[in-house]
Amino acid sequence: MAIREIVVHVEPDAAGAGRLDLARALADQHKARLVGVGKGDAAPEGVDEWRSIGGPKELALHARYADLTIVGQASPGASDHVTETLMSVGRPILAVPRHGRYPKVGQRVLVAWNASREATRAVFDSLPLLAGAANVTVMTMDAKDDDRVPGADIGLALARHGIKVEVVHSTLGDIDAGNALLSRAADQGADLLVMGAFGHSPLREKMLGGATRHILDHMTVPVLLSH
């Protein structure tokens, strides 16, 4: 598996400029073609192709055929491109926080693992990024794995791909999964979080709370998500 085409959603603000810088760096690293999408006809510098789009539905059309799509965390009250794209394209999405600068990702990676379909997709979708990482930590939370060591199997699967991985286990107690992940990411200085998205429907997560919704609302590092 390799990254051959990256789509980046470009917006005319500081967050959009930072996201474009990250997309350029990833395209250079993986020798990938970079496609910029956004409103207007003026192509930003450093993209191989520019496509004018009107909204999330058009973004999804282009994301469906890319190896990775980079979008920004939604501002309060704005269109949530992350959720809408995730739920319609079946391809990995790299969501970038609206605050801060992230010139590179993938050196210190935290993987959220619960053995779900969504988590499995996210891990294997992220292999091209994990392959270049200096450190990969797989984190399980309150895990029960049929008398097997939680996270051991995915750790072995990653090791077979030549990835140096550490598996850690967390007991949540009074803290929710979303906060536990962000706390661990901060403690280890992670520059990328990998996780499956929306094991429940986005509406249910919005109404009742959930790890995906919490991460999308409060992310502090770029997050690679798959559904």
Side-chain angles (χ1 to χ4, degrees):
M1 182 184 295
I3 296 175
R4 292 290 178 253
E5 181 165 290
I6 296 171
V7 166
V8 57
H9 181 232
V10 181
E11 295 171 297
D13 56 14
R19 195 159 60 247
L20 182 57
D21 287 343
L22 172 57
R24 289 192 196 105
L26 282 173
D28 288 343
Q29 178 184 347
H30 294 274
K31 297 179 173 56
R33 186 168 179 269
L34 181 59
V35 177
V37 298
K39 293 183 178 180
D41 297 322
E45 184 178 350
V47 299
D48 296 300
E49 183 182 351
W50 174 254
R51 302 171 186 169
S52 179
I53 65 169
K57 289 185 178 180
E58 291 181 59
L59 171 59
L61 292 176
H62 300 288
R64 191 165 289 129
Y65 305 103
D67 298 303
L68 182 67
T69 297
I70 303 174
V71 297
Q73 178 190 20
S75 299
S79 296
D80 185 357
H81 290 82
V82 180
T83 300
E84 295 191 39
T85 307
L86 261 175
M87 298 306 292
S88 60
V89 303
R91 303 293 290 152
I93 303 297
L94 181 63
V96 182
R98 59 180 173 267
H99 301 300
R101 301 285 287 189
Y102 307 92
K104 292 183 179 180
V105 299
Q107 284 300 298
R108 299 173 305 281
V109 184
L110 178 63
V111 176
W113 179 251
N114 63 1
S116 67
R117 179 187 69 83
E118 294 82 9
T120 302
R121 285 203 60 173
V123 169
F124 286 94
D125 282 344
S126 70
L127 282 178
L129 298 176
L130 300 185
N135 175 268
V136 176
T137 300
V138 173
M139 180 178 175
T140 66
M141 292 169 283
D142 289 344
K144 296 179 181 179
D145 205 359
D146 299 327
D147 296 325
R148 301 174 69 84
V149 177
D153 289 336
I154 195 62
L156 288 172
L158 292 174
R160 285 193 289 269
H161 285 271
I163 296 166
K164 184 179 179 181
V165 60
E166 174 190 14
V167 178
V168 299
H169 314 293
S170 175
T171 301
L172 293 177
D174 293 332
I175 190 172
D176 62 83
N179 275 314
L181 285 168
L182 293 178
S183 178
R184 178 75 194 193
D187 288 346
Q188 74 177 54
D191 61 9
L192 177 64
L193 171 62
V194 173
M195 64 183 292
F198 295 119
H200 303 294
S201 73
L203 178 60
R204 181 179 176 184
E205 287 218 3
K206 185 175 183 179
M207 297 292 291
L208 302 179
T212 309
R213 189 72 264 158
H214 184 88
I215 295 295
L216 290 180
D217 289 343
H218 303 286
M219 66 174 71
T220 52
V221 297
V223 186
L224 186 141
L225 304 115
S226 295
H227 174 73

